[in-house]
Amino acid sequence: MGQVISAAFPTIIEAVKGCLGLNESVEDLQTQVNQLTNQLGDLHTKLTNLEQGGKRKRKQEVISWIEQATKLINDFPTVKDRAIHGPSWDVWEKYLSINRVKKMSEAVKDAKNDLRNIGELTVVDVDESTIPSLFVSELSGKTSNVYLEKLYRWLEDDNISSIGVYGMGGVGKTTLMRHVHNQILQKMSGVKVYWVTVSQDFSIEKLQDDIARTAGLQFHDENEELRATILHQHLVGKKTVLILDDVWKFIDLEKLGDPHRIEGCKFIITSRSSEVCRQIGCQNCLKVDVFNEEEAWNLFKQILLIYDHIVVSNAIEEHAKSLAKKCGGLPLALKTVAASMRGVNDDHIWRNAVKNFQTASQLETLENNVFQRLEFSYNRLNDQGLKECFLYCCLYPEDGQIKKDEIIIKFIAEELCEDIDEGHSILKKLVDVFLLEEGEECVTMHDLMREMALKISKFLVKFELVEIPEEKHWTAELERVSLNSNTLKEIPNDFSPICHKLSTLNLRNLYWKTGIKEIPESFLLYMSQLRVLDLSDNYQLKCLPNSISNLENLCGLFLKGCRRISCLPAMKKMEKLGVLNIEYCDRIRELPQDMECLVSLQYLHMMGTSTDLEIPKGVISKLRNLKCIQLNNCGRLQSEDLNCLPHLQEFWCCYDKLHDFNSLVKNLEQLKCYYICVTSLHFHRQSLPLGSNVKKVYFRRINFTLVLIPANITSLHIEDCDGLNGCIADYFQSIMSNLRELEVDQCREVEWILNSKQIIENVSNTGATPFKSLEVLDIYDLPKLISVCKGEDVILPDNCTFSSLKHLEIFGCDSIKKLLPYALLQNLKNLEKLDVRYCSQLEVVIGGVGGDGEEEGSSNTPIYLPKLKQLLLACLPELKSICNGREMICPSIEEINIWRCTNVKRMPSFLPINETTEQPYISSSFRKIKLFEDEKEWWESLELHNPNAKHILQSHIKWY
């Protein structure tokens, strides 16, 4: 007992001392916050003036600073209230208040200093050169290529300023226009192309926003007329093509900046209606028709045999041709029907499919023709769960991207799948049969597919609502309801729909700082079978109805972004709840004790909640079915809590004390995925896919001599840390073989990244190859960095260090003179991107300097980087040579950017060499070489290793 008192006594004394000066500390913090508020207001005024007209946009660094400053200002009243009005008798609470005030004072001072460091460079010119090519499948059929050539000819004609492309849904208008978009990027030098999807429920304000976002502009509080003026000003004097896809009705082009009346600007729409094209005033119109019989059969056969799952006998071929014919030449139907029959080798099944597929002539309308063909593919799904998952996708907005993570969690909550992996498998199956279209992190649903799904489902789906649908629409048979909106503000107090079969209720808000203000108690009374309730992003919602606590069948509760909710509902009856998402509900200060009753909970998402969030002791450890925890800043969650969670696979958290993190290292080594931030500063969440295999730790402003690192880590980010001296690799012997991503930022004593001699020793002694799996290496602001590699004269074995490296980025390292030694070259066969900027002393990118390594021109052997796609060298005033006079051959090169490197007098051509003529040539993948206009004189005097290369590159220069 005496020992406990002795240990606590210094803390008590410190608390008492601090209490005496607490009021003064709060007053000082108030002054600091007031100054920060003024700085924020001044910055907003400055940004508004600089961004006027849309020619400039704020830097990402500035956006992050505004978010950080705003949060500090918003958090201050709570910190002040707890410090001043907390119980005077509670010494421990006073001690905590002193720490909060101290931490916030430091954070506010850091924010003010950060703004000074940003200086005057708060905005950058809008860079439209980064418009990406659109992902698109190959064009099918000769007719499609004829359409493409015709549209391109019209675009080249200065007398044609507006084009309409029309045809029935699913005929391939969007696919055709995606090819047009990509051809413009590849063939029309200096032309900007903007793609915007419109959809049925568009509004002018949203359309203006979408065009501005695509063009790199930012609106603030401007009205429609001022927005139109800004768009007009942005388009004037430029060669621009604006593509509006999926237009359903007349659009007043004046409100879009009158693009068709601006010299050099082209305007294209796609629509199902020729009348819409006429009303909008398109000069030339192109009808996209269905495929002829030969084209239809070729596409059907291509999709059917894509994986060689079927041997086409004469009998099956006849059935397949019959089925293809019944698709009426519609590409979307041909793809989905053919995909649904993949792998079917039984003649009887084919005969039955043909028999059950009605001919178009038996149906009454064109719409029914299309839906019937698409529904055939839906009916061919051999699993009811797959069908349910497909229908679930129509709850999302038309033409909107559906985030895979988001919908898979909904599938899990609805018990349509077991876990993340199965969810991805389901989406893959739906994509494979063309019922969904795939992006990188999203899927989309063709609007025809969505219409068909809504037609056969028992769903109520509405968008852009002003008031809740009338009670007559809430039928007893309803299964799911989705009312996404930014204009729906309230639900009537006496509104109580009787929907005993309803399993999903989605009242998610689409825009920030709007949404439903109140949900009456009566609203949920007769929804006893509700499994999923999504109220996300209803910023105005202050409290939840108590009736939520009686939803005993609820499996998923989504409250993300409900920032004014301060408490959660009682949870004793929610034993079936499997998913709870309260991300960015930052006014919740304490989790309820009865959360321990959530015995089925698997996914707990709490990123962005208050840093002061209290978790009652023992609550987390009782949630034994947890698979995924995402927390914000919670040092109270310790190793013993995780030891009680046998099913845990994924863990995200931020710790402000290093010893709390170190105690968890053994636990992390057992997990499939984790992302841990160790820093005393405010943590900004990085987006990582759910269920991924990423194992990442981010250290910021800590002493690295005391750090433990999990042996299974794959991604490591170190920023502004003390205790790292000399060679980085010396600190990571145990993890270097597994690491795939390494970022080192602002570590002032680091001189090298790896040590060649040490690598040779490791390979000889243990067989382990350091950094062999490394794919991404980012190095920023290391003032003492001498070179990437220490001991650069040591030749490394093949397929050794850096043999997996794809991305190398180095910024702001002012001591480095030579970047990569020749000894590393043979292991850079997978390098795809090399980006070097702001290294004021760099003289050579590859090779030695002065007496080190080979002298310039001493070897005629070309440097070969077979997979290099992007080369960017910028602001390197002392750069004299890229690779010591050698030629560099990059057969995969797509883009070269060289800015502010005018000391270079001779450089490689980078282009692939024709084996027959032994001359360089431009590959089909090469897009451009980007140079600054004020450096034309330098370019003209520059020698290239192969003189013919300069002439070839000339036509691909984009001047900025």
Side-chain angles (χ1 to χ4, degrees):
M1 183 70 176
Q3 288 178 335
V4 173
I5 294 172
S6 298
F9 193 70
T11 300
I12 295 171
I13 294 296
E14 187 180 341
V16 171
K17 285 181 179 176
C19 289
L20 300 175
L22 182 57
N23 286 345
E24 289 81 357
S25 297
V26 172
E27 288 175 8
D28 181 60
L29 178 57
Q30 174 80 69
T31 303
Q32 296 283 344
V33 170
N34 289 344
Q35 291 172 355
L36 184 65
T37 304
N38 292 335
Q39 285 181 315
L40 182 60
D42 292 343
L43 180 60
H44 273 304
T45 303
K46 178 180 178 180
L47 289 170
T48 301
N49 293 331
L50 287 171
E51 292 172 333
Q52 192 71 29
K55 300 291 184 181
R56 294 172 175 173
K57 63 179 180 180
R58 58 193 68 182
K59 294 166 66 177
Q60 186 59 47
E61 183 182 11
V62 174
I63 295 171
S64 299
W65 185 88
I66 291 172
E67 290 174 356
Q68 180 188 4
T70 303
K71 187 178 190 310
L72 288 169
I73 293 165
N74 290 341
D75 286 350
F76 173 67
T78 304
V79 173
K80 178 181 177 181
D81 183 66
R82 294 180 72 169
I84 301 300
H85 302 296
S88 57
W89 48 266
D90 191 338
V91 176
W92 179 247
E93 175 58 31
K94 285 294 182 186
Y95 175 67
L96 291 177
S97 289
I98 293 164
N99 274 343
R100 290 189 198 102
V101 171
K102 184 179 178 182
K103 273 189 179 181
M104 177 165 273
S105 294
E106 291 173 356
V108 171
K109 287 175 183 175
D110 282 344
K112 291 165 67 181
N113 289 332
D114 287 345
L115 183 59
R116 278 194 290 272
N117 291 335
I118 292 171
E120 296 298 312
L121 297 175
T122 54
V123 295
V124 293
D125 290 337
V126 172
D127 179 13
E128 302 151 326
S129 63
T130 56
I131 299 169
S133 295
L134 298 175
F135 175 78
V136 63
S137 57
E138 288 185 12
L139 279 179
S140 300
K142 293 179 182 177
T143 309
S144 298
N145 285 293
V146 171
Y147 292 150
L148 182 60
E149 290 173 11
K150 190 170 190 176
L151 286 169
Y152 195 76
R153 283 200 308 273
W154 286 353
L155 284 169
E156 290 183 312
D157 190 336
D158 292 338
N159 296 315
I160 299 172
S161 61
S162 56
I163 300 170
V165 178
Y166 67 95
M168 65 186 295
V171 79
K173 300 182 297 295
T174 298
T175 298
L176 177 64
M177 288 312 304
R178 282 174 175 261
H179 279 277
V180 170
H181 174 281
N182 293 348
Q183 275 207 2
I184 295 168
L185 288 181
Q186 292 167 9
K187 295 183 178 181
M188 292 188 167
S189 180
V191 175
K192 313 299 180 188
V193 54
Y194 305 140
W195 177 290
V196 174
T197 302
V198 182
S199 77
Q200 267 182 290
D201 296 325
F202 85 95
S203 66
I204 287 294
E205 183 179 348
K206 183 176 184 299
L207 186 51
Q208 289 174 330
D209 279 335
D210 290 343
I211 295 171
R213 192 178 304 112
T214 306
L217 302 176
Q218 289 177 327
F219 292 136
H220 299 291
D221 299 321
E222 297 90 348
N223 58 31
E224 278 185 9
E225 288 73 21
L226 185 52
R227 286 165 166 240
T229 301
I230 292 171
L231 288 174
H232 182 85
Q233 289 172 350
H234 180 73
L235 295 173
V236 167
K238 295 179 179 175
K239 292 181 179 179
T240 310
V241 178
L242 174 61
I243 300 172
L244 299 185
D245 185 42
D246 198 20
V247 177
W248 284 74
K249 56 188 177 183
F250 172 75
I251 298 172
D252 185 352
L253 297 184
E254 283 189 10
K255 294 184 178 179
L256 305 184
D258 263 343
H260 61 313
R261 300 187 191 280
I262 298 172
E263 186 178 353
C265 184
K266 305 272 188 177
F267 173 76
I268 309 176
I269 69 164
T270 73
S271 178
R272 295 190 193 179
S273 166
S274 59
E275 182 64 15
V276 168
C277 296
R278 187 193 63 76
Q279 289 174 350
I280 289 177
C282 296
Q283 280 178 276
N284 284 34
C285 292
L286 174 71
K287 181 183 180 183
V288 180
D289 221 331
V290 296
F291 282 0
N292 61 39
E293 192 169 328
E294 180 186 357
E295 291 173 327
W297 167 239
N298 287 338
L299 177 59
F300 191 94
K301 184 167 60 174
Q302 176 191 338
I303 300 300
L304 182 68
L305 304 179
I306 195 165
Y307 300 123
D308 296 324
H309 284 163
I310 184 172
V311 178
V312 180
S313 64
N314 290 337
I316 287 179
E317 182 170 328
E318 286 304 310
H319 297 318
K321 283 183 176 178
S322 297
L323 209 52
K325 192 172 183 178
K326 289 173 180 286
C327 291
L330 189 69
L332 183 61
L334 288 160
K335 287 180 180 180
T336 54
V337 172
S340 73
M341 296 301 292
R342 279 193 204 129
V344 177
N345 293 291
D346 191 311
D347 182 59
H348 299 289
I349 297 175
W350 274 98
R351 190 180 296 116
N352 187 59
V354 174
K355 181 178 69 176
N356 290 333
F357 199 125
Q358 293 175 297
T359 61
S361 60
Q362 290 176 288
L363 297 163
E364 294 180 2
T365 67
L366 181 63
E367 182 185 68
N368 283 336
N369 291 345
V370 176
F371 286 165
Q372 187 271 333
R373 293 163 190 161
L374 300 182
E375 193 174 344
F376 174 86
S377 303
Y378 167 80
N379 290 331
R380 284 283 306 165
L381 293 173
N382 57 8
D383 181 274
Q384 186 59 34
L386 268 179
K387 292 182 176 180
E388 288 290 318
C389 289
F390 167 73
L391 294 179
Y392 206 96
C393 294
C394 77
L395 297 174
Y396 286 78
E398 181 187 355
D399 294 317
Q401 292 187 328
I402 304 169
K403 291 181 180 177
K404 291 179 183 178
D405 284 352
E406 183 180 309
I407 197 164
I408 287 171
I409 282 291
K410 297 283 182 68
F411 290 167
I412 292 171
E414 281 273 16
E415 298 184 350
L416 296 174
C417 70
E418 287 288 328
D419 54 30
I420 301 292
D421 290 338
E422 186 182 356
H424 280 286
S425 176
I426 286 170
L427 293 180
K428 178 71 166 61
K429 289 175 182 176
L430 293 174
V431 167
D432 282 347
V433 295
F434 295 94
L435 291 173
L436 294 178
E437 300 166 18
E438 187 167 27
E440 190 172 343
E441 295 180 1
C442 302
V443 291
T444 55
M445 194 177 213
H446 192 283
D447 50 2
L448 265 182
M449 287 294 183
R450 185 171 178 275
E451 289 174 40
M452 183 266 289
L454 287 172
K455 189 173 183 180
I456 63 179
S457 68
K458 296 175 181 177
F459 296 175
L460 173 61
V461 181
K462 300 285 184 182
F463 295 92
E464 303 298 332
L465 292 170
V466 176
E467 51 188 41
I468 204 85
E470 295 177 12
E471 199 154 350
K472 66 181 181 182
H473 297 291
W474 298 76
T475 65
E477 300 301 313
L478 270 184
E479 295 176 354
R480 296 187 175 102
V481 171
S482 182
L483 305 177
N484 292 131
S485 178
N486 67 314
T487 50
L488 183 62
K489 297 293 188 296
E490 60 183 30
I491 299 170
N493 283 327
D494 58 349
F495 192 63
S496 188
I498 301 174
C499 299
H500 290 302
K501 293 184 179 181
L502 194 68
S503 68
T504 292
L505 177 59
N506 181 7
L507 298 177
R508 185 172 191 166
N509 178 46
L510 296 178
Y511 291 90
W512 189 54
K513 289 198 173 180
T514 59
I516 298 169
K517 295 181 178 180
E518 185 179 356
I519 299 175
E521 290 292 336
S522 61
F523 184 58
L524 301 173
L525 284 180
Y526 302 107
M527 299 180 185
S528 57
Q529 297 305 309
L530 203 61
R531 287 176 174 270
V532 172
L533 177 60
D534 190 347
L535 303 174
S536 298
D537 299 316
N538 280 287
Y539 182 86
Q540 302 289 345
L541 188 64
K542 292 183 178 179
C543 61
L544 300 170
N546 293 322
S547 50
I548 287 181
S549 300
N550 296 320
L551 297 174
E552 297 183 12
N553 291 299
L554 198 65
C555 298
L557 179 58
F558 299 86
L559 303 173
K560 177 181 177 180
C562 294
R563 306 192 81 138
R564 297 195 175 187
I565 290 175
S566 57
C567 62
L568 292 172
M571 295 183 168
K572 287 183 180 179
K573 296 182 180 180
M574 295 186 183
E575 292 185 357
K576 294 183 180 180
L577 195 70
V579 181
L580 176 61
N581 188 325
I582 58 169
E583 290 180 4
Y584 302 105
C585 295
D586 49 10
R587 294 199 184 183
I588 295 176
R589 292 291 184 263
E590 185 175 4
L591 296 182
Q593 184 68 47
D594 64 1
M595 256 188 74
E596 63 189 24
C597 300
L598 303 180
V599 292
S600 301
L601 194 66
Q602 296 182 41
Y603 298 88
L604 177 58
H605 294 176
M606 301 196 299
M607 296 298 296
T609 50
S610 170
T611 54
D612 295 325
L613 180 69
E614 297 282 346
I615 301 179
K617 188 172 180 59
V619 166
I620 297 293
S621 59
K622 290 182 180 177
L623 305 177
R624 293 181 57 82
N625 282 305
L626 272 176
K627 292 181 179 179
C628 172
I629 311 175
Q630 295 182 0
L631 300 175
N632 201 38
N633 187 349
C634 188
R636 294 176 183 83
L637 192 62
Q638 301 297 330
S639 177
E640 53 267 27
D641 295 299
L642 299 189
N643 288 335
C644 297
L645 306 176
H647 303 290
L648 190 66
Q649 298 175 2
E650 186 168 336
F651 182 50
W652 296 24
C653 193
C654 185
Y655 288 92
D656 55 10
K657 293 183 176 64
L658 185 58
H659 67 81
D660 288 336
F661 166 76
N662 284 340
S663 70
L664 282 174
V665 166
K666 292 297 181 186
N667 299 89
L668 297 178
E669 291 175 348
Q670 309 303 314
L671 299 181
K672 176 184 175 184
C673 172
Y674 54 80
Y675 181 27
I676 310 296
C677 178
V678 186
T679 178
S680 59
L681 302 177
H682 178 62
F683 172 53
H684 289 280
R685 168 180 175 173
Q686 176 175 328
S687 177
L688 295 173
L690 276 176
S692 68
N693 291 318
V694 175
K695 302 173 184 70
K696 178 168 184 173
V697 182
Y698 170 32
F699 295 104
R700 186 179 184 197
R701 291 195 186 178
I702 56 130
N703 191 319
F704 225 82
T705 57
L706 307 173
V707 169
L708 298 178
I709 298 181
N712 62 345
I713 189 172
T714 60
S715 180
L716 177 62
H717 182 180
I718 307 165
E719 181 179 355
D720 197 10
C721 290
D722 295 326
L724 283 170
N725 306 306
C727 183
I728 280 281
D730 293 344
Y731 297 85
F732 308 126
Q733 296 296 318
S734 62
I735 65 162
M736 287 194 295
S737 295
N738 299 323
L739 205 61
R740 292 203 298 268
E741 297 179 1
L742 174 63
E743 180 175 333
V744 186
D745 190 357
Q746 299 179 51
C747 296
R748 287 172 287 277
E749 301 300 321
V750 170
E751 295 176 289
W752 299 279
I753 304 302
L754 55 91
N755 185 329
S756 296
K757 291 180 181 178
Q758 183 191 78
I759 290 169
I760 297 294
E761 288 175 11
N762 279 7
V763 173
S764 300
N765 297 335
T766 67
T769 306
F771 295 139
K772 182 175 181 178
S773 301
L774 195 71
E775 296 178 5
V776 177
L777 175 59
D778 292 334
I779 303 169
Y780 304 127
D781 298 314
L782 305 186
K784 291 189 178 180
L785 187 73
I786 297 170
S787 178
V788 169
C789 187
K790 182 180 182 182
E792 55 187 42
D793 54 330
V794 178
I795 302 295
L796 298 175
D798 271 342
N799 299 315
C800 181
T801 296
F802 286 179
S803 59
S804 299
L805 192 66
K806 295 179 180 178
H807 177 119
L808 176 58
E809 202 166 278
I810 301 184
F811 286 17
C813 299
D814 287 333
S815 294
I816 191 168
K817 292 189 176 183
K818 49 191 172 184
L819 184 61
L820 298 168
Y822 289 124
L824 274 179
L825 279 180
Q826 61 189 1
N827 288 322
L828 296 178
K829 293 173 183 175
N830 288 301
L831 188 65
E832 295 179 4
K833 181 178 180 180
L834 178 58
D835 189 347
V836 188
R837 306 188 218 183
Y838 305 106
C839 298
S840 61
Q841 300 300 315
L842 187 71
E843 296 180 19
V844 176
V845 178
I846 298 174
V849 177
D852 298 327
E854 295 184 73
E855 293 297 326
E856 186 168 343
S858 63
S859 173
N860 292 321
T861 307
I863 290 170
Y864 190 65
L865 296 177
K867 294 188 179 180
L868 189 69
K869 296 178 181 178
Q870 285 183 287
L871 175 67
L872 199 156
L873 305 173
C875 302
L876 307 171
E878 296 300 319
L879 186 67
K880 296 178 177 63
S881 176
I882 293 173
C883 45
N884 271 349
R886 290 190 183 192
E887 174 68 297
M888 183 188 290
I889 298 174
C890 310
S892 303
I893 195 73
E894 295 176 0
E895 185 173 328
I896 301 167
N897 305 271
I898 301 180
W899 310 325
R900 304 296 185 248
C901 301
T902 52
N903 263 333
V904 175
K905 307 303 179 188
R906 191 168 188 261
M907 78 176 189
S909 63
F910 306 109
L911 300 176
I913 302 295
N914 185 300
E915 292 182 3
T916 305
T917 64
E918 297 185 351
Q919 291 300 315
Y921 67 94
I922 295 281
S923 68
S924 58
S925 62
F926 188 78
R927 298 199 310 269
K928 59 195 167 188
I929 175 169
K930 292 167 64 174
L931 305 170
F932 282 167
E933 281 199 5
D934 62 1
E935 295 181 343
K936 278 186 178 181
E937 189 176 333
W938 166 77
W939 168 255
E940 289 167 2
S941 66
L942 184 69
E943 291 182 27
L944 265 63
H945 193 278
N946 189 312
N948 293 330
K950 191 168 184 180
H951 174 71
I952 295 171
L953 287 169
Q954 193 73 36
S955 61
H956 286 72
I957 293 177
K958 298 220 173 195
W959 296 102
Y960 291 92

